[in-house]
Amino acid sequence: MGPIGVFDSGYGGLTVLKEIIAELPAYDYIYLGDNARAPYGNRGFDTIHAYTLQCVQQLFDMGCPLVVLACNTASAKALRTIQQKDLPRIAPDNRVLGVIRPTTEMVGTITQTGEVGILATNGTISSESYPIEIAKFFPHVKVHQLACPMWVPLVENNEHENEGADFFVKEYLDKILSQSTNIDTLVLGCTHYPLLMKKIRQYLPGGVTVLAQGKIVAHSLKDYLKRHPEMEARLSKGGQQSYFTTDDPAIFDRMAEIFFGRAVAASKHLSL
Ligand code: DGL
């Protein structure tokens, strides 16, 4: 039996882990942030795949039978290859889940107008993962997309609540909403973006729903474990969390508090 692994390029996945723990507190979790190589958002397919696979392998080696990629960029660029090509070779009984599918499974139930906007990193947008996945569940829904490359650096530098962030929050919201006046649902398709929620709401016209992924992914994981008792039986239930970073643990702990909303157990350094 082992913990659930939760991976992100950096800190963003903590916004997802927080909701997963709230929904499923009994399990043990290992969080791994590849902070030394973050952000992934502007990197190419091969790089993101290689980095993500290395981190997944690491979490498997630490005893996790199940890993959640709490990163849209990794889910968009690496998940399918890992599930289809790598897993059968490296750990056929283990599983890796992403954050895009759970989000796309429900977005069509929220929109009334049938037009949604996706805000994400360059990597996620260029992968077309959101339009492709949404079309499978809700073929009638029209998807508008926009890359918001300045939002992750704002958050990573703890500038998200300062005045300087207003310019880029307003700029990207204006841009996506200018694609269609019918957009009534905006998906924050990057696990860093919920930290900008206050400012996003401030600049959004009324009547537009903003979806953050944490709770959606947590519900979906709960459902997955119900449907897969064989995996559930392999998960340890000590209610413990441990944190690993490929960069400096002191910096990670300071930043993690911002993302998590409270201090997390002291992180440890991990060399890949
Ligand atoms: N948290 C990542 C995501 O959800 C983005 C951060 C990055 O660019 O590495 O896409």
Side-chain angles (χ1 to χ4, degrees):
M1 298 227 283
I4 298 174
V6 177
F7 163 75
D8 182 46
S9 59
Y11 306 107
L14 291 167
T15 64
V16 176
L17 176 62
K18 187 179 166 195
E19 300 297 342
I20 293 178
I21 294 170
E23 184 85 47
L24 300 162
Y27 297 98
D28 296 317
Y29 296 93
I30 296 181
Y31 184 88
L32 172 57
D34 191 9
N35 299 86
R37 300 187 294 198
Y40 283 10
N42 289 327
R43 297 188 188 276
F45 176 90
D46 289 341
T47 308
I48 295 171
H49 170 246
Y51 286 180
T52 305
L53 180 60
Q54 210 180 0
C55 292
V56 166
Q57 180 69 64
Q58 180 65 46
L59 286 163
F60 287 168
D61 292 347
M62 292 163 106
C64 302
L66 176 67
V67 172
V68 178
L69 302 184
C71 173
N72 287 270
T73 311
S75 300
K77 296 268 191 183
L79 181 61
R80 186 173 308 181
T81 311
I82 290 177
Q83 285 175 332
Q84 294 179 355
K85 295 219 176 95
D86 302 315
L87 265 191
R89 183 172 51 83
I90 62 171
D93 295 332
N94 288 359
R95 289 293 172 264
V96 181
L97 306 173
V99 289
I100 294 180
R101 175 127 188 193
T103 313
T104 56
E105 268 175 8
M106 57 95 65
V107 73
T109 64
I110 308 278
T111 174
Q112 302 288 312
T113 59
E115 292 197 35
V116 304
I118 309 296
L119 302 169
T121 63
N122 275 317
T124 301
I125 297 298
S126 67
S127 74
E128 297 282 326
S129 297
Y130 273 94
I132 292 166
E133 289 294 319
I134 290 173
K136 285 185 197 159
F137 300 110
F138 307 102
H140 63 284
V141 168
K142 194 163 176 198
V143 182
H144 304 271
Q145 299 201 97
L146 184 73
C148 309
M150 288 306 292
W151 282 7
V152 167
L154 281 173
V155 172
E156 292 265 327
N157 290 292
N158 200 12
E159 289 290 339
H160 54 285
E161 292 199 327
N162 294 341
E163 245 172 64
D166 289 59
F167 177 84
F168 286 108
V169 169
K170 188 170 176 323
E171 159 138 324
Y172 293 147
L173 290 179
D174 286 349
K175 270 192 186 155
I176 186 101
L177 293 176
S178 73
Q179 292 186 27
S180 168
T181 50
N182 284 332
I183 295 173
D184 70 348
T185 307
L186 278 184
V187 175
L188 303 186
C190 169
T191 53
H192 279 68
Y193 296 175
L195 272 88
L196 288 160
M197 192 61 110
K198 224 189 278 171
K199 286 198 191 288
I200 290 172
R201 287 203 202 283
Q202 189 184 324
Y203 287 105
L204 263 191
V208 180
T209 304
V210 191
L211 292 184
Q213 296 174 299
K215 287 194 170 67
I216 299 171
V217 174
H219 279 133
S220 164
L221 180 59
K222 190 175 184 180
D223 183 57
Y224 175 87
L225 295 178
K226 258 190 220 143
R227 287 184 289 111
H228 292 87
E230 76 295 346
M231 174 53 76
E232 205 280 335
R234 293 174 62 198
L235 300 174
S236 57
K237 295 174 194 69
Q240 300 292 314
Q241 295 112 41
S242 42
Y243 298 85
F244 292 85
T245 173
T246 55
D247 202 353
D248 182 341
I251 301 173
F252 183 92
D253 294 349
R254 210 167 47 241
M255 289 298 291
E257 195 167 337
I258 298 167
F259 279 79
F260 210 74
R262 61 177 164 81
V264 299
S267 63
K268 293 190 188 73
H269 176 76
L270 197 98
S271 297
L272 292 173

